[in-house]
Amino acid sequence: RAIMWGAFMMFGMLVMWAILMVELVHPVSSARVSYDECERCGRAFGSVMNSVLTLFQTIVAGDSWGRIAVPVIETDPLLAGFFIMAILTISLGL
């Protein structure tokens, strides 16, 4: 039962951060960042579903965080704090 509630809370946090990523990160990543070798990176935060998948892939599974986040942070350094807060609340908070 505890695992079920933990998974439910993790999904809730992923959805909350995904909504914020769509609102704050997507305008930067789609318009001002060019991704040369990554086909999916430009649309990674385009919708809530894509954002949940991207956050799960990068934070929970630990797959290619730098490929998506580093170009966005280089373009808009204020988003670094936003990404750090997402990592802390999802991976360490839960």
Side-chain angles (χ1 to χ4, degrees):
R1 185 174 259 197
I3 292 174
M4 179 190 73
W5 285 111
F8 182 71
M9 286 181 63
M10 183 179 209
F11 182 73
M13 290 297 288
L14 280 171
V15 170
M16 182 199 76
W17 280 108
I19 292 169
L20 292 172
M21 293 281 185
V22 169
E23 292 297 320
L24 299 173
V25 177
H26 178 65
V28 174
S29 70
S30 65
R32 296 190 289 172
V33 178
S34 63
Y35 298 100
D36 296 329
E37 299 174 2
C38 182
E39 174 189 326
R40 185 181 176 281
C41 293
R43 57 185 165 83
F45 299 111
S47 68
V48 174
M49 183 61 200
N50 282 345
S51 293
V52 168
L53 180 61
T54 301
L55 288 173
F56 185 82
Q57 173 187 355
T58 55
I59 295 175
V60 178
D63 185 28
S64 69
W65 181 253
R67 210 172 189 189
I68 294 173
V70 170
V72 172
I73 292 170
E74 287 176 346
T75 303
D76 191 353
L78 292 176
L79 291 175
F82 188 69
F83 282 113
I84 291 169
M85 286 174 37
I87 291 170
L88 290 177
T89 57
I90 293 173
S91 65
L92 299 178
L94 297 176

